[in-house]
Amino acid sequence: MSKLRIEPKIEKQLRNAKYGVHNHSAVQICTWTKKSLHNEGFCYKQKFYGIDTHRCMEFSPSAVFCGYNCIFCWRPMEFMRFRGMEADEADDPREIYERLLEERRKLLSGFPGDGKTDMKKHEESLKPNHFAISLSGEPTIYPKLPELVEFLKNLPETRSVFIVTNGQEPEMMAKLSKSPPTQLYLSVNAPNQMLFEMINRPSSENGWERFLRSLGIFSKMETRRILRLTMIRGMNMDPPYIKQYADLIQKANPHFIEVKAYMWIGFSRNRLRERNMPSHEDIRNFSKEIEKITGFKILDEKEDSRVVLLANEKEKIGKFIK
Ligand code: SF4
């Protein structure tokens, strides 16, 4: 069986959008990494967990494959394909890492000449020590994900590997519990099935049931567990929903919750309005309601990213990655 490849016309569009591509995988230089290389700021995960923004490699082994069609997604929906991935059509972890690292090096090659780049940071950025497996598509569709996590964790420079999942592949979640990333995110974008269907628009008939199964597996995973709630004003953050979120939070038993504003950017502007983007104050007020009903405590926030961090008082772990 030949290797799965992103369709040439989509690959061309991704390359035009400054992605590096190899077969079914893609890499990009995150906006915050660019800012950090210019000493113009760092991402909220550096503030909250101590990762090195300038040494972050943001990539995906399943860049255009996803079982959701989220209305708030900044990516072009027409890029996304709903399909599984067979082991013998998927690249091995080493090939993905080496080919994407080369692509990333090319994407970073223009910085030294721009007169603004911190050259010491640029040199360090060529050896990533943080891997954000979240760029686009759903990483749990990649059949060798546990092996990829182990491979990255065993690299000499690695400090942390983060995965963001939508929970649509509970079987892979179960496999991942044997080789968990440093930090695992489960995205929660709706408090109930009706809103889930409307906001995430899952391609599978039993999307909600799959999500709930993943939530159960997630709750027992022996790693840092983060629930990320994406809030859309006028859609999923009304007061009656607080109790429903609290029920999901209790089932998931995360160490931390990130309450994050939907951002009116990219292709999401064709599907939502600017007024659907909550202010940081909206996010802070919603987080206070979650704090009241769950007993989690607000621990930190980052206004320019419109995100608030809450910690589980019953299952305390250190905020910073070791
Ligand atoms: S952790 Fe996320 S936000 Fe931070 S630099 Fe990496 S990809 Fe960007």
Side-chain angles (χ1 to χ4, degrees):
M1 185 183 256
S2 62
K3 293 294 177 190
L4 176 63
R5 295 202 57 186
I6 295 172
E7 294 155 39
K9 82 174 182 343
I10 296 179
E11 176 171 343
K12 191 159 172 278
Q13 288 171 288
L14 285 172
R15 288 192 181 282
N16 291 345
K18 298 261 181 288
Y19 284 71
V21 177
H22 176 66
N23 287 342
H24 47 77
S25 305
V27 66
Q28 197 185 33
I29 309 299
C30 171
T31 310
W32 285 104
T33 300
K34 295 174 186 167
K35 284 183 184 198
S36 179
L37 287 170
H38 292 155
N39 292 319
E40 293 165 353
F42 49 79
C43 75
Y44 77 80
K45 288 144 206 165
Q46 179 163 328
K47 184 166 189 273
F48 291 179
Y49 312 115
I51 68 114
D52 299 319
T53 300
H54 70 292
R55 297 186 69 186
C56 169
M57 178 165 161
E58 183 187 24
F59 77 100
S60 172
S62 45
V64 297
F65 307 105
C66 189
Y68 275 176
N69 306 284
C70 303
I71 50 172
F72 58 85
C73 186
W74 51 269
R75 303 163 192 93
M77 219 34 73
E78 55 277 10
F79 274 16
M80 295 298 164
R81 299 284 176 275
F82 173 52
R83 71 180 304 274
M85 205 188 288
E86 301 301 324
D88 51 17
E89 65 179 345
D91 293 331
D92 288 339
R94 178 179 292 281
E95 179 175 348
I96 292 175
Y97 169 71
E98 289 174 353
R99 299 300 296 270
L100 291 187
L101 194 67
E102 194 40 49
E103 292 281 340
R104 185 174 175 277
R105 190 179 288 274
K106 287 183 218 154
L107 294 168
L108 287 166
S109 61
F111 281 79
D114 70 6
K116 291 198 298 179
T117 295
D118 177 327
M119 288 312 293
K120 180 171 175 300
K121 272 187 164 179
H122 181 264
E123 196 183 325
E124 288 171 355
S125 76
L126 297 175
K127 289 195 184 130
N129 68 359
H130 173 67
F131 296 92
I133 308 181
S134 59
L135 175 60
S136 72
E138 173 50 38
T140 56
I141 287 174
Y142 172 59
K144 303 173 185 175
L145 190 59
E147 295 90 338
L148 176 62
V149 170
E150 286 307 316
F151 175 84
L152 294 173
K153 278 180 157 179
N154 292 325
L155 293 169
E157 300 284 339
T158 300
R159 280 187 64 220
S160 45
V161 178
F162 287 9
I163 290 179
V164 180
T165 179
N166 62 20
Q168 284 301 289
E169 307 293 332
E171 298 79 14
M172 177 49 82
M173 286 282 272
K175 286 186 193 153
L176 209 51
S177 53
K178 299 190 186 69
S179 309
T182 318
Q183 188 153 302
L184 179 66
Y185 283 84
L186 179 60
S187 302
V188 177
N189 317 122
N192 57 53
Q193 182 165 4
M194 193 266 300
L195 281 177
F196 172 85
E197 309 282 350
M198 202 175 81
I199 292 171
N200 294 118
R201 305 185 294 183
S203 302
S204 309
E205 296 255 314
N206 60 344
W208 180 246
E209 184 266 330
R210 298 173 76 85
F211 167 73
L212 292 178
R213 257 201 293 145
S214 288
L215 200 81
I217 297 164
F218 171 89
S219 69
K220 301 183 188 68
M221 288 183 79
E222 290 179 10
T223 188
R224 297 165 62 92
R225 299 184 301 274
I226 315 288
L227 278 192
R228 176 170 313 134
L229 277 56
T230 301
M231 311 317 298
I232 309 168
R233 189 195 281 148
M235 203 166 271
N236 67 354
M237 55 189 305
D238 301 347
Y241 300 140
I242 299 280
K243 174 73 179 65
Q244 294 172 358
Y245 281 114
D247 294 344
L248 289 176
I249 290 164
Q250 202 202 0
K251 284 198 187 101
N253 189 32
H255 295 108
F256 298 104
I257 302 166
E258 290 178 5
V259 179
K260 181 144 191 2
Y262 151 66
M263 302 302 253
W264 195 58
I265 53 171
F267 290 83
S268 79
R269 293 175 297 178
N270 306 335
R271 302 179 219 113
L272 291 169
R273 298 278 169 277
E274 189 168 2
R275 64 173 179 270
N276 291 122
M277 178 168 68
S279 65
H280 187 65
E281 198 186 348
D282 294 334
I283 295 297
R284 203 186 277 137
N285 294 339
F286 183 88
S287 303
K288 285 182 186 149
E289 295 305 315
I290 292 285
E291 190 179 39
K292 268 189 232 149
I293 195 170
T294 63
F296 277 63
K297 282 277 170 277
I298 291 179
L299 197 57
D300 204 344
E301 62 186 314
K302 194 160 188 286
E303 188 145 354
D304 57 5
S305 298
R306 303 186 188 197
V307 62
V308 167
L309 179 69
L310 298 104
N312 187 341
E313 292 292 287
K314 296 196 193 95
E315 204 165 330
K316 278 194 173 171
I317 59 169
K319 180 165 171 290
F320 290 109
I321 304 279
K322 295 204 178 63

